Structures are given as structure tokens and as C-alpha cells.
Amino acid sequence: MLRRCPLGALLAAVVIALAGWVVAPRSGEPALIPAPPPATCRSAPPTPAGWADYAADPAARDLTPFQDYREALGLGPGTRGDGVTIADVEYEWRPGHVELAARGLLEAPPNSLRESFRAADHGTAVLGLLGGTPDGRGVTGLVAGAELRPVSPFATGTYSPATAIASAAAGLGPGDVLLIELQSQPDEASPYLPIEAIDSARDPVRTAIQDAVRRGIVVVEPAGNGNVNLDTASRYPWLQGPDAAGHSGAIIVGAGGSPTDDRGPSDLEWTSGSNYGSRVDVQGVGVAVVTSGYGSGEGERLGGRGDTAYTACFDGTSSA
């Protein structure tokens, strides 16, 4: 289901990156255990020759011609996001990446995530999509004029999504944007769901989202990569439609195809793996997204390493 949203909401929906958490089944209150983000490259690079001419030093090359997702969103060249603050709830990020270094972002707090999470790359990919430096090199952020405030769910020393959401919202005002870069897995046998599937006494995520929305903050969260029709999520009735009791008020984003993806669906089709249903408000590009992070050594990643890394394969509801 696609509903009309204000431009600010669409700007918020341009990049939703997912990570996640798992509730381990045990007696009493469940323990929160982070789950890794998707990391599968499902699209060929969007040029006939691939990325051979860019891989050696992508940070020095202009990659904006390959950021076709701007046109897919209908964002003109004058769209910058000036005067808007965007809080990004993200596990980790690289504040020294060439696309972000000028912003003076704080370091992410320590966490217990495994190396396989690629958490710093994931956060860097999201922040680069939003605010990459418009200098003619690398990528240009979709809302490069906005202020970015990454917030970690490990800020208190333990993993707490609801605390991170409330903390991020506290620094925002009406019209600002809160991106929640997390998904949930209610138990180890369950598929991934939107993060607001969880609203426990220990971590009242949905309640924290509702509080932010009441304050006029535009809250955006991914639909999740569980391949689930949310209309059938009977354990979570507030996810069963836009008029369901307990609706959080967040904009939920699913993943769709790309006009440059030659192995997946078109830009008007849903990508297999993304959750869907009448609660999903908008669809973003979920394949073949060019942005900062990841780099060499992983399938079809574009090139570079560390603070000069770029990818041509950011995908799923992470990129949507």
C-alpha cells in the first residue's frame, strides 16, 4: 500500500538501514541479543564495464552519476535538507570516512558485536547516503544540508533500542527526522520484523516511537527483511494495517527494485525478502545502491578500504 506523505517524510524514507535484535527464549524478561544486518549483494554494478576503473581509488572519483536512486525518488538537484536534523539509530559508523569527516561526528561507543556484522560499514553506508559531502568526489548525500546525529543502542553499555530512540528523540523538534536502523526477531525461529514488533517492559520500543511521533518528529523504520506479509502478523496486531489499534505513527518502508538492476525486479516491484502488507507506507530502492562503506574484498563491493571504502551493492530494506 502506498500512501501520500509530506516531502520531509519521503526524505526520511530515502535510506533505511537495518540491523536488528533477537529475543532469546528464556523465563522472565527476555534478553536482547543483536542480530546482523543483511549483507548480500544482489545486483550487478550499474555500468557495462563494471567497477574496474573505479576500484583502485573510488574516493577520488565522481560516483554521483550512479546514484540513480535520487531520480527514482523524484528528488531534484536543489534538495538538500537544510534546517532539518536527522538522528540515525545505528550500531556503529566510521566518523573518519572521507564522506563524513567534515561533520565532526562522535565515535560510536564500544559494543559486543561480532566482526561479521560489518556494523561500522553499515552505518557508514547509511550516513553516506544521507549526508555524503557534495564535493564532486565519491557520493553526494541525498540531504547533504541536513545535520546528522548518529545514536547507538549501546550508549548505556548494554543493548537498548528503546533507550536509544528516546535519547535521539530528545534532541529533535517538530519536522526533524528519526531513522531507526534496526529490525527485530521475536525469537530465534522467527523471521525479521519491524523493530516496533517489540514493546516489552524491558524495552518499550513501540511506546518510544509513539512518544516521538506525538512530538511532531517524523519517525521512519524499515519493514524488515523477513519476507513476511505483515497483515498476517497476528501476534502484533498494530502491524496489521494503517488503521490498526496501537499504530505507532512511524513511516514503514519496504524494499523495491531499481531501474538499473538487471537481475532483480523493476523499480515498481517489491523485492523478495522484504516484508510487505498494508502497514508498509512507501517503497524505496532495495538493490544496486551506491554509497560509502564496505569496499574491497566482499563479492561485488566497489573498492577502497576503511575510510575510503565504497560499495555498489547496498541492498534490502537497509538501502530502501
Side-chain angles (χ1 to χ4, degrees):
M1 176 180 179
L2 179 63
R3 294 186 288 158
R4 294 185 181 274
C5 299
L7 176 60
L10 289 176
L11 292 180
V14 295
V15 287
I16 302 300
L18 290 187
W21 61 276
V22 176
V23 178
R26 61 182 67 185
S27 61
E29 280 285 339
L32 301 184
I33 306 172
T40 302
C41 180
R42 300 181 307 179
S43 176
T47 59
W51 292 109
D53 294 336
Y54 294 82
D57 189 10
R61 303 295 298 273
D62 182 10
L63 302 176
T64 56
F66 308 115
Q67 292 183 265
D68 60 291
Y69 42 84
R70 175 181 287 275
E71 287 72 28
L73 289 161
L75 301 181
T79 304
R80 288 179 40 87
D82 295 271
V84 175
T85 299
I86 301 177
D88 171 18
V89 180
E90 190 76 51
Y91 282 150
E92 198 176 353
W93 52 90
R94 295 183 185 277
H97 192 281
V98 291
E99 294 292 349
L100 305 173
R103 290 184 173 270
L105 302 178
L106 297 176
E107 293 278 352
N111 61 62
S112 56
L113 298 174
R114 299 184 303 276
E115 182 71 20
S116 61
F117 273 63
R118 302 293 298 272
D121 286 309
H122 195 268
T124 302
V126 175
L127 292 167
L129 278 172
L130 286 170
T133 304
D135 57 2
R137 299 189 298 267
V139 296
T140 295
L142 293 171
V143 283
E147 179 182 352
L148 300 185
R149 294 180 184 173
V151 178
S152 170
F154 286 96
T156 62
T158 58
Y159 183 62
S160 178
T163 299
I165 292 167
S167 175
L172 301 177
D176 288 334
V177 177
L178 172 54
L179 270 60
I180 306 172
E181 313 294 343
L182 309 172
Q183 67 183 354
S184 66
Q185 190 178 22
D187 58 65
E188 293 179 352
S190 297
Y192 291 121
L193 294 171
I195 188 64
E196 69 175 59
I198 304 304
D199 196 28
S200 67
R202 174 176 294 195
D203 228 278
V205 173
R206 181 171 56 114
T207 300
I209 293 172
Q210 290 172 326
D211 291 344
V213 170
R214 289 190 192 102
R215 292 181 47 215
I217 297 167
V218 180
V219 180
V220 182
E221 65 178 302
N225 296 316
N227 201 41
V228 171
N229 180 354
L230 297 178
D231 290 344
T232 66
S234 58
R235 291 175 58 187
Y236 316 99
W238 59 91
L239 291 175
Q240 292 186 295
D243 301 317
H247 190 295
S248 71
I251 296 170
I252 292 186
V253 185
S258 165
T260 61
D261 177 30
D262 61 2
R263 297 192 302 203
S266 77
D267 55 330
L268 297 180
E269 294 179 294
W270 157 77
T271 59
S272 178
S274 170
N275 292 337
Y276 57 97
S278 60
R279 178 62 183 89
V280 177
D281 297 283
V282 293
Q283 178 174 290
V285 178
V287 288
V289 169
V290 174
T291 185
S292 46
Y294 292 102
S296 303
E298 188 171 322
E300 297 174 284
R301 305 300 180 188
L302 197 161
R305 294 185 183 278
D307 287 340
T308 60
Y310 290 82
T311 178
C313 308
F314 199 42
D315 68 344
T317 48
S318 290
S319 64

